[in-house]
Amino acid sequence: MGSTSAHTNEGLGRRDLVKRSAALGLVTVPAMGFLSACATGGGGGDDKKSAAPTGEVTEKNPLGVKEGAALEAFIFKGGLGDQYAKDAEADYKATYKADVKHTGTQEIGPKLTPRFAGGTPPDVIDNSGANHLDMNRLSSQGQLQDLAALLDAASLDDPAKKIRDVIHPSTLEKGKHGDTFDVLYYAFTIYGTWYSQKLLDDKGWAYPKSFDEMLKLCAEIKKDGIAPWTYPGKYPYYVHFNLFAQIAKIGGMPAWIEIDNLEPNAWTKSDAVRQVVEFYEELAAKKYFLEGSQGLTHIQSQTAWTKNRAAFIPNGSWLENEAAPTTPKDFGMAVGALFDGSGDKMPNGSLRGEPSEPYIVAAKGKNPRGGMELLRIMLSKKHAQNFATKVKSLTCVMDATTGMSLSPGLASASEKFKAAGNNLITIQLQEWYPALTDDKIGGLTGQLLTGDLKAADWIKKTQAEADKVAKDSAVTKFKRTA
């Protein structure tokens, strides 16, 4: 789902956060430490405390936005660009006869950390990219607006339906800190193994359903002079988009939730973990990865793939937009569901699909009601379809693209999403503990994929890293039950 610009493609949301562990060290640790000293406590968005402007609550203005109240928006301008947000802002401006200040940037954290600390944050923020703000910390400090009022507001398309009724249920789950819903993940990303339908058709190959079928096909692909797989070795956590979901598919969501919750031995006791990690170990041992993949960025690996130097790549559905500059017109971009292993708890066709692209409203902004209203506008079918058209991405608005003519990759993602039904996998570990998944485990995965680390050692060391985080009192912990 990614790129409206060819050179600054950071992709979508947190999964593309290039070197984000380093970014977290720069932004969230010292900056949020400073925030801790300056931020007042208190819950999200008490209008009496913030003296935010309030208008009359009407059927057309359920959030009570004050006419003429200016709005400030900070939008991450990476793989998705920011035109889709400007389009929604134009509707806000026309409806409320108000000025809208828009900033498109890839430096969300560096630019906004001092503003949060000083009590002057913008109203609405697309908190994405490598240099993002630490939402866990901001939420615990009462800096994020409780968005319950937005969820209970009427949809622009059907006043009889509330916003909570028109967005995907997983959006409601993912956006919570404790019992408070204070993050709206606007996009909906489909993760999987991506391939060229044209390449497979031309060669007479079929997308494999199981690990065994994939390994057999890899041998055939390699004989044909093409590398079966590539990946961005500089950011090996991209492989986790598939690897983690594959564990959940085989072992079942309850077993994965133990991993999300940092339970003791959650990695080492799981046969699903063993099956999946041994599959990647075998890919490496049989040299089924494009030579030099370990040195590639996300853009370089995608370019190698669109040039048919490799048949498969693990990624999310921002890929189509991000790789657009190098993708041949007849490429037939498509995504495949997760593979079957042995004794799987979830059926073939199971898919990792989950909300992405986090939007927050500052509780201490000048116009939090206006910030929520902008999100309500974005959650209309008009703007969900505009988003799909402009950036080839699904949003969290259910059925918004029905009847639309979709690009190949988005059509494939949408088709797989519908086919999966309730067999959808959501992963919180990368969201809650990115320093663990992207830096620590990512480093181990990098070694696994070059053949420098055995599967058994990857599992032991990953468990040890998870245990360190579990025991670290400085890391805020989160729990999920479903």
Side-chain angles (χ1 to χ4, degrees), residues 230 234 295-305 309:
T230 187
K234 286 198 172 179
L296 301 181
T297 65
H298 55 309
I299 299 298
Q300 290 169 335
S301 62
Q302 290 162 193
T303 301
W305 172 69
R309 293 180 58 210

Side-chain angles (χ1 to χ4, degrees), residues 43-86:
D46 185 327
D47 283 330
K48 291 179 183 176
K49 289 181 183 177
S50 63
T54 305
E56 183 183 355
V57 174
T58 65
E59 187 177 335
K60 289 190 174 180
N61 184 11
L63 292 167
V65 178
K66 184 173 179 60
E67 187 168 310
L71 183 72
E72 185 179 5
F74 250 73
I75 308 298
F76 175 66
K77 190 176 181 180
L80 298 177
D82 60 349
Q83 185 58 48
Y84 73 92
K86 289 180 180 178

Side-chain angles (χ1 to χ4, degrees), residues 286-351:
K286 292 185 174 175
K287 302 194 183 303
Y288 286 157
F289 293 115
L290 176 68
E291 190 174 347
S293 288
Q294 66 267 31
L296 301 181
T297 65
H298 55 309
I299 299 298
Q300 290 169 335
S301 62
Q302 290 162 193
T303 301
W305 172 69
T306 57
K307 292 181 182 298
N308 285 328
R309 293 180 58 210
F312 300 111
I313 190 169
N315 222 310
S317 48
W318 66 87
L319 171 65
E320 183 173 27
N321 208 39
E322 193 165 67
T326 64
T327 305
K329 285 184 181 178
D330 62 350
F331 189 74
M333 192 176 294
V335 61
L338 295 162
F339 308 116
D340 293 342
S342 174
D344 296 32
K345 298 289 196 298
M346 296 179 73
N348 190 268
S350 296
L351 192 70

Side-chain angles (χ1 to χ4, degrees), residues 14 17-29 129-132 235 237 433-443:
R14 293 171 71 98
L17 304 184
V18 178
K19 293 191 175 177
R20 65 186 177 182
S21 297
L24 282 169
L26 292 171
V27 178
T28 44
V29 179
N131 294 315
H132 63 286
Y235 318 117
Y237 61 80
Y433 312 110
L436 168 66
T437 58
D438 301 356
D439 181 12
K440 300 298 185 182
I441 303 177

Side-chain angles (χ1 to χ4, degrees), residues 405-472:
S405 177
L406 305 178
S407 56
L410 182 54
S412 177
S414 184
E415 176 190 321
K416 298 300 189 300
F417 172 59
K418 287 175 184 172
N422 293 326
N423 297 306
L424 284 179
I425 290 165
T426 59
I427 304 294
Q428 290 288 49
L429 196 72
Q430 286 174 290
E431 204 69 34
W432 289 343
Y433 312 110
L436 168 66
T437 58
D438 301 356
D439 181 12
K440 300 298 185 182
I441 303 177
L444 298 173
T445 300
Q447 295 175 54
L448 177 75
L449 301 183
T450 55
D452 294 324
L453 189 67
K454 295 297 182 186
D457 293 324
W458 185 98
I459 295 167
K460 286 178 190 172
K461 291 184 177 184
T462 291
Q463 184 66 65
E465 294 295 348
D467 291 343
K468 286 179 191 173
V469 174
K471 293 171 185 172
D472 187 348

Side-chain angles (χ1 to χ4, degrees), residues 38-44 49 140-143 364:
C38 301
T40 58
K49 289 181 183 177
S140 69
Q141 294 171 345
Q143 294 273 10
K364 297 173 176 64

